[in-house]
Amino acid sequence: MSGRNRKIIHVDMDAFFTSVEQRDHPHLRGRPVVVGGSPKSRGVVAAASYEARRFGIRSAMASSQAARLCPGAIFVTPNFDRYVEVSHQIREIFATVTSLVEPLSLDEAYLDVTENFLSEPLARNIARYLKQRIREETGLTASAGVGPNKFIAKVASDFRKPDGLVVIPPEKVLDFVEKLPVEKLWGVGPATTARLHELGLRKAGDIRNFGQEALVRTLGSSGEFLYGLSIGEDSREVDPSSDPKSCGSETTFETDILSISELTETIRSLSEHVAAELGKIGRPAKSVTLKVRYDDFTTITRSQTLKRHTDQEETIARTASELLLRKTEAGQRPIRLLGVAASGLLSPDEPIQLWFEISPFSDD
Ligand SMILES: [Mg+2]
């Protein structure tokens, strides 16, 4: 196995938002709790307690659907300032172990503990220590995964939730990844999954057998990274300064598009991706940018600053569509590419403001 082996821990709070609510409101304990929008509105589920998940309720699902799946579910409006407060507590605990901490969202982070302030050689012991301190100081449980790289650590933390601790030492990595479904590999979304399935590749082990060269020939340069993952290799560093400035999604049409309704339909689906991504990282955005490439490859971007932060698909799509209609030549010139991006992301370290709409924050 090539590449340096690090000792990486991925820590992920269990059903974070709903666990905070159940901690703070004892009458919610043991009950199916949904944090998110009211089922009577067009709201979505931000997070579901384990009791609610048993009914099939998942984050980003329409609240009305959640209510149908579980009529007894208790809907709670998100209390983000409380979640951010707990998030700060957790980060302070992480900071006692290493300065190489890369937060992924309010409730998730990578820690590189190859060298650490505790001078503890066993990452397993550090993970135990972190879980214990989190429990003592916040009253909440976290799951941790330990591995030689970020990919393995993240898959491991998800393996035995809630309150799990899964350690994958370097010599167990190949066995561990072999049976993983391809969609568990980092960066493999629905489109790539479908492509891999077409090739008859369903497990990471299938990709390995398919071979790196064949994969690169079929998928292009991304095949190389993907092959690496299929054998449990991942050279991405834990980056404490990693701080996304924007979230974007774009698409190139197979044939250039004139139809306004087709373009706005595309904006809607791009906005859905952007909103989901903002939700995943727990960072609402303050401005929306539309990117348009005409048939002659001229590319323009048009931006709009919002009155307040949002991570709502509706708001993003509406703003991008207005930009399309008012600030571009859509409908007159054929368009070959459309992109929607959200920027000015609210930082977890900024003082929290009362901007909250009901948000599709994911919380797995
Ligand atoms: Mg979580």
Side-chain angles (χ1 to χ4, degrees):
M1 194 175 196
S2 68
R4 305 174 306 141
N5 279 334
R6 310 286 299 172
K7 293 174 187 169
I8 310 296
I9 303 178
H10 178 254
V11 180
D12 184 14
M13 300 297 290
D14 301 319
F16 183 49
F17 297 170
T18 49
S19 299
V20 172
E21 297 298 339
Q22 288 176 320
R23 178 194 71 177
D24 295 349
H25 307 283
H27 71 279
L28 298 176
R29 291 179 196 161
R31 311 282 302 275
V33 176
V34 173
V35 169
S38 150
K40 292 185 195 99
S41 71
R42 288 173 47 90
V44 296
V45 174
S49 70
Y50 286 100
E51 295 86 354
R53 292 180 195 190
R54 260 174 236 134
F55 292 86
I57 300 177
R58 296 286 179 271
S59 43
M61 176 182 276
S63 295
S64 54
Q65 190 191 349
R68 277 195 300 276
L69 287 170
C70 176
I74 305 168
F75 286 80
V76 177
T77 306
N79 182 356
F80 287 99
D81 42 4
R82 180 55 58 82
Y83 310 150
V84 168
E85 203 178 285
V86 179
S87 181
H88 287 170
Q89 273 182 294
I90 299 164
R91 295 221 187 147
E92 273 168 30
I93 296 171
F94 295 158
T96 64
V97 167
T98 172
S99 52
L100 291 178
V101 178
E102 178 182 335
L104 295 176
S105 63
L106 289 182
D107 79 315
E108 235 183 291
Y110 290 114
L111 290 79
D112 185 330
V113 300
T114 314
E115 280 148 40
N116 58 77
F117 303 144
L118 309 178
S119 304
E120 166 59 61
L122 288 179
R124 170 197 300 271
N125 290 342
I126 298 176
R128 265 204 206 107
Y129 164 85
L130 292 169
K131 278 165 55 72
Q132 189 187 336
R133 276 201 61 184
I134 288 171
R135 188 193 283 271
E136 283 168 6
E137 290 171 37
T138 71
L140 301 167
T141 64
S143 293
V146 177
N149 58 51
K150 286 162 94 169
F151 163 56
I152 296 295
K154 185 156 164 76
V155 178
S157 75
D158 194 40
F159 217 64
R160 220 164 277 155
K161 267 183 160 291
D163 202 15
L165 170 55
V166 173
V167 181
I168 310 294
E171 66 275 14
K172 296 273 174 64
V173 162
L174 266 185
D175 280 347
F176 180 68
V177 290
E178 185 156 65
K179 294 177 202 74
L180 281 183
V182 292
E183 55 269 34
K184 289 271 184 192
L185 301 182
W186 190 82
V188 174
T192 311
T193 303
R195 186 83 187 88
L196 292 168
H197 284 182
E198 265 169 43
L199 296 165
L201 310 177
R202 302 201 157 259
K203 302 254 160 81
D206 300 335
I207 295 181
R208 185 179 60 168
N209 294 334
F210 193 66
Q212 181 167 11
E213 261 178 56
L215 202 66
V216 171
R217 233 181 294 126
T218 331
L219 297 182
S221 55
S222 67
E224 201 170 326
F225 182 68
L226 196 53
Y227 180 80
L229 295 180
S230 80
I231 56 171
E233 286 183 5
D234 173 10
S235 60
R236 291 173 300 147
E237 309 262 342
V238 171
D239 180 3
S241 66
S242 155
D243 182 17
K245 298 280 183 286
S246 67
C247 266
S249 183
E250 61 180 48
T251 188
T252 303
F253 299 110
E254 284 184 13
T255 55
D256 300 343
I257 304 292
L258 259 180
S259 150
I260 294 284
S261 65
E262 222 169 302
L263 293 167
T264 50
E265 194 48 47
T266 303
I267 283 179
R268 179 153 293 281
S269 84
L270 293 171
S271 302
E272 187 184 338
H273 283 273
V274 171
E277 197 54 39
L278 292 173
K280 215 181 285 170
I281 61 174
R283 306 275 298 273
K286 193 69 195 288
S287 65
V288 172
T289 299
L290 176 74
K291 175 174 166 186
V292 171
R293 180 167 298 149
Y294 297 110
D295 57 342
D296 64 354
F297 283 85
T298 321
T299 306
I300 58 163
T301 57
R302 297 290 180 261
S303 296
Q304 176 72 48
T305 302
L306 305 170
K307 285 200 193 76
R308 52 185 186 158
H309 286 86
T310 188
D311 64 356
Q312 292 293 289
E313 176 195 333
E314 286 279 317
T315 311
I316 297 167
R318 192 178 58 240
T319 308
S321 300
E322 281 168 12
L323 288 169
L324 179 83
L325 297 175
R326 294 190 187 157
K327 305 260 172 91
T328 75
E329 294 169 74
Q332 296 147 48
R333 288 174 74 178
I335 289 176
R336 59 175 286 121
L337 174 148
L338 267 188
V340 173
S343 56
L345 307 189
L346 184 78
S347 157
D349 302 324
E350 272 173 55
I352 216 72
Q353 312 147 20
L354 292 173
W355 44 261
F356 298 114
E357 296 173 50
I358 305 309
S359 327
F361 279 68
S362 99
D363 177 37
D364 294 323

